[in-house]
Amino acid sequence: MTFLWPEALWLYLALPLLVGAYLWVLRRKKKFALRYASLDLVKEAMGKGVGARRHIPPALFLLSLAIMIAAIARPTAVVTLPSQHETVILAMDVSGSMRATDVEPNRLVAAQVAAKSFIAEQPENVRIGIVAFAGTATVAQAPTRNKDELTAAIDRFQLQRATAIGSAILVSLATIFPDTGIDIATFGTEQKGPKPSATTPKPVPPGSYNSAVIILLTDGQRTTGPDSVAAARLAAERGVRIYTVGIGTPEGKVVGFEGWSMHVRLDEETLKTIADVTRGEYFYAGNAPDLKKVYQGLNAKLVMETKKTEITALFAAAAALVVVLSALLSLLWFNRIL
């Protein structure tokens, strides 16, 4: 656990002073009690067993102050909480290399099966969109909660030539932010970033946008379209995380499609960079069972998210409960508050 305002912890130095003040008050009361003619009368008035019990409410009050000081320092901790993601974009590779059979029955079918299983396990409040990409990227299904429409869109995939990973990222971002003017035409393949415009939003910290994420699945490396990492930086500026899934073999495989053949390999380095830049995560799936496990892991991450979160409210609530308990015990035992 860490603190956003650690300077406030200096307030703990006041606690020993309060303990000293409490002990001083007790000594004064003891001296005052000695003025009575009979100590038995004092004990009878106080009741049996009061000796140790009378210190419990003040001790609880002191504990509540200690917890409140921690709350003032704004504590943060890594906790697991329900995800706030409202939209998930599945960007799926439909290039010709996805017909390779190193992942049974082939890469495309394995990806379709895993994606449909992932969709079925998503909560009802999450909208899912599908972007299919090869030489270009298109929205196969706009974000929706209708799982039948999503399944039908995946079943309609048609293999095409080339691989434009950067285009897939940009189209996914345009789907998440339809009013920000993200345009592939203004994002040239040789550019290091988008052209600035009056409508370009102010960059935010990477991974800070909690309402949407992108899951990018591909089996190859970019052969056309905008630069993949530059597109990922645009996603990072929007705060959108990209979880990348690599399917296939890093050493590559020769595949044929519509009369041509080529050697394709998985560009893990680029996929890891995309994930790192956007504060996402890279997953490798060398076979169908691995791919299914990857999507199951992603589902767990998106439903319950583990991240560093400010927990000031928890400390404040705990301090309030302790001080109320202290007051109740004091009223119950001594008919007074502390």
Side-chain angles (χ1 to χ4, degrees), residues 179-244:
D179 300 323
T180 54
I182 298 174
D183 187 2
I184 297 177
T186 64
F187 202 100
T189 56
E190 300 302 322
Q191 285 182 292
K192 298 300 182 182
K195 292 180 179 178
S197 68
T199 59
T200 301
K202 183 179 179 180
V204 299
S208 61
Y209 187 76
N210 295 321
S211 296
V213 295
I214 298 171
I215 300 176
L216 173 71
L217 181 142
T218 182
D219 71 338
Q221 54 190 159
R222 179 182 71 91
T223 60
T224 186
D227 181 74
S228 305
V229 177
R233 291 195 181 100
L234 181 61
E237 291 176 0
R238 301 293 193 274
V240 178
R241 296 177 189 267
I242 301 179
Y243 293 93
T244 56

Side-chain angles (χ1 to χ4, degrees), residues 248-308:
T249 54
E251 62 271 14
K253 185 177 182 66
V254 176
V255 297
F257 180 60
E258 294 183 351
W260 58 270
S261 62
M262 65 177 297
H263 182 268
V264 294
R265 70 175 185 86
L266 180 62
D267 187 359
E268 286 193 293
E269 182 178 350
T270 297
L271 294 180
K272 290 177 181 178
T273 301
I274 292 171
D276 290 342
V277 166
T278 62
R279 302 298 187 269
E281 190 173 348
Y282 169 71
F283 301 89
Y284 172 68
N287 52 54
D290 284 348
L291 184 57
K292 185 177 180 180
K293 290 179 182 178
V294 165
Y295 272 97
Q296 288 174 342
L298 283 169
N299 180 66
K301 284 181 175 292
L302 299 183
V303 173
M304 298 296 293
E305 189 173 22
T306 300
K307 61 181 180 180
K308 196 169 187 178

Side-chain angles (χ1 to χ4, degrees), residues 65-292:
L65 289 179
I67 299 173
M68 184 56 68
I69 291 172
I72 293 172
R74 298 181 62 186
T76 62
V78 177
V79 295
T80 300
L81 298 171
S83 172
Q84 298 177 350
H85 299 316
E86 300 172 357
T87 304
V88 177
I89 303 297
L90 294 178
M92 301 184 65
D93 191 342
V94 294
S95 61
S97 57
M98 290 290 286
R99 71 189 299 125
T101 57
D102 54 343
V103 178
E104 296 180 354
N106 63 48
R107 296 176 182 177
L108 179 63
V109 172
Q112 288 173 309
V113 171
K116 286 188 282 189
S117 176
F118 170 81
I119 290 170
E121 295 175 0
Q122 286 298 296
E124 295 297 330
N125 64 308
V126 175
R127 297 189 311 149
I128 301 175
I130 298 172
V131 171
F133 69 95
T136 58
T138 59
V139 179
Q141 174 60 57
T144 179
R145 296 183 179 90
N146 190 317
K147 297 182 179 181
D148 291 335
E149 292 181 0
L150 294 165
T151 299
I154 291 175
D155 289 335
R156 290 194 300 266
F157 283 169
Q158 296 292 326
L159 295 177
Q160 303 172 33
R161 294 185 180 183
T163 305
I165 296 175
S167 296
I169 295 173
L170 294 178
V171 171
S172 299
L173 285 176
T175 304
I176 296 171
F177 306 108
D179 300 323
T180 54
I182 298 174
D183 187 2
I184 297 177
T186 64
F187 202 100
T189 56
E190 300 302 322
Q191 285 182 292
K192 298 300 182 182
K195 292 180 179 178
S197 68
T199 59
T200 301
K202 183 179 179 180
V204 299
S208 61
Y209 187 76
N210 295 321
S211 296
V213 295
I214 298 171
I215 300 176
L216 173 71
L217 181 142
T218 182
D219 71 338
Q221 54 190 159
R222 179 182 71 91
T223 60
T224 186
D227 181 74
S228 305
V229 177
R233 291 195 181 100
L234 181 61
E237 291 176 0
R238 301 293 193 274
V240 178
R241 296 177 189 267
I242 301 179
Y243 293 93
T244 56
V245 181
I247 180 173
T249 54
E251 62 271 14
K253 185 177 182 66
V254 176
V255 297
F257 180 60
E258 294 183 351
W260 58 270
S261 62
M262 65 177 297
H263 182 268
V264 294
R265 70 175 185 86
L266 180 62
D267 187 359
E268 286 193 293
E269 182 178 350
T270 297
L271 294 180
K272 290 177 181 178
T273 301
I274 292 171
D276 290 342
V277 166
T278 62
R279 302 298 187 269
E281 190 173 348
Y282 169 71
F283 301 89
Y284 172 68
N287 52 54
D290 284 348
L291 184 57
K292 185 177 180 180

